[in-house]
């Protein structure tokens, strides 16, 4: 039998995670307006499974999805803010968590375009990785990257993820199939 996680994700819903100078908090309805701003940028969502958001309701749907994930212990999605600053600059977390028939989590992340190329996610990702391995007791972290998302590939490769394969026509959104790369990192 697979042992349970060190901490169940549901026990972490009220917690703020400090990631260096960044604060990570579970996405909540109050984030909707800023999330709309983030995900209405076509460049930000270019390789993601969503169209650019058009209205507040779209953002609330994503927040409700994230809340449901956390409540079921099936994922966690945080807002990212610089500590002491109000503005939401991105999100990150686990799109899926498998804690019974495995111990793995699929990480996901995004930043507003103005924050790209400044090492922001490079600073946050080690905290997300440590959270997955040490707090959730995961054995394996993975990430699905749409082919062409070079920034995301570079980020993962700099943080010990291996490109494990190409999944042909793995995803379907925006009216077509997409090849995706699967990256993995296993706990030492
Ligand atoms: C994926 C994403 C988060 C990567 O952002 P990023 O800023 O390239 O990633 P990093 O935080 O690792 O920063 C690396 C860049 O910062 C620079 N940098 C500056 N200071 C740095 C520091 N202290 N440490 C590391 N890198 C630093 C690096 O040189 C590099 O820039 P370059 O690629 O222009 O050479 C971003 O492109 C994004 O949000 N994309 C849209 C959403 C998305 O596609 N998400 C992924 C879905 S799988």
């Amino acid at each position: 039998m697979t042992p349970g996680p060190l901490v169940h994700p549901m026990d972490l819903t009220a917690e703020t995670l400090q990631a260096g100078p960044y604060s990570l908090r579970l996405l909540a309805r109050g984030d909707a307006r800023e999330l709309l701003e983030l995900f209405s940028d076509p460049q930000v969502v270019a390789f993601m499974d969503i169209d650019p958001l058009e209205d507040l309701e779209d953002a609330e749907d994503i927040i409700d999805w994230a809340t449901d994930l956390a409540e079921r212990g099936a994922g966690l999605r945080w807002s990212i803010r610089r500590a002491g600053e109000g503005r939401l600059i991105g999100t990150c977390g686990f799109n899926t968590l498998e804690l019974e028939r495995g111990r793995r989590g699929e990480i996901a992340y995004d930043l507003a375009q103005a924050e790209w190329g400044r090492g922001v996610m490079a600073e946050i990702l080690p905290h997300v990785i440590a959270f997955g391995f040490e707090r959730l007791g995961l054995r394996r972290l993975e990430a699905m990257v749409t082919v062409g998302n070079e920034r995301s590939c570079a980020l993962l490769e700099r943080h010990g993820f291996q490109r494990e394969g190409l999944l042909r026509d793995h995803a379907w959104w925006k009216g077509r199939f997409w090849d995706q790369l699967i990256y993995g990192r296993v706990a030492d």
Side-chain angles (χ1 to χ4, degrees):
M1 194 169 92
T2 311
L6 293 178
V7 179
H8 191 279
M10 262 177 86
D11 297 334
L12 299 166
T13 48
E15 192 172 320
T16 299
L17 186 69
Q18 274 318 124
Y22 304 96
S23 295
L24 312 184
R25 278 197 75 84
L26 269 205
L27 273 182
R29 273 294 183 108
D31 297 320
R33 197 158 293 284
E34 290 175 288
L35 198 70
L36 170 61
E37 197 179 322
L38 173 69
F39 288 157
S40 58
D41 180 344
Q43 293 292 105
V44 171
V45 302
F47 294 107
M48 293 170 61
D49 59 353
I50 51 171
D51 288 311
L53 304 193
E54 292 182 350
D55 53 40
L56 208 54
E57 205 175 309
D58 293 339
E60 287 170 351
D61 286 347
I62 291 176
I63 291 165
D64 290 349
W65 164 80
T67 304
D68 177 62
L69 273 187
E71 285 174 357
R72 290 188 292 111
L76 288 168
R77 194 73 177 222
W78 294 291
S79 60
I80 303 171
R81 292 184 163 80
R82 286 192 174 77
E85 248 185 54
R87 203 164 46 86
L88 183 150
I89 60 169
T91 80
C92 64
F94 297 86
N95 268 0
T96 62
L97 285 173
E98 175 55 66
L99 303 171
E100 286 177 14
R101 299 178 74 82
R103 277 187 169 210
R104 60 180 189 271
E106 182 195 328
I107 60 165
Y109 40 76
D110 47 74
L111 291 172
Q113 224 183 126
E115 304 289 345
W116 296 3
R118 302 172 64 183
V120 173
M121 202 51 76
E123 198 154 8
I124 293 170
L125 198 58
H127 295 269
V128 176
I129 292 169
F131 183 91
F133 286 145
E134 292 163 20
R135 300 289 304 283
L136 294 175
L138 300 179
R139 171 72 183 159
R140 174 184 161 82
L141 298 179
E142 51 193 27
M144 303 292 173
V145 182
T146 305
V147 169
N149 194 349
E150 298 302 335
R151 277 190 174 277
S152 188
C153 293
L155 172 72
L156 292 166
E157 286 164 18
R158 279 195 299 263
H159 288 87
F161 283 76
Q162 286 177 26
R163 189 181 286 202
E164 296 178 334
L166 172 70
L167 306 173
R168 293 173 300 154
D169 283 354
H170 183 244
W172 191 92
W173 59 69
K174 298 171 185 164
R176 53 162 281 202
F177 287 101
W178 300 82
D179 291 348
Q180 289 196 298
L181 296 161
I182 179 163
Y183 278 87
R185 178 173 159 174
V186 174
D188 294 327

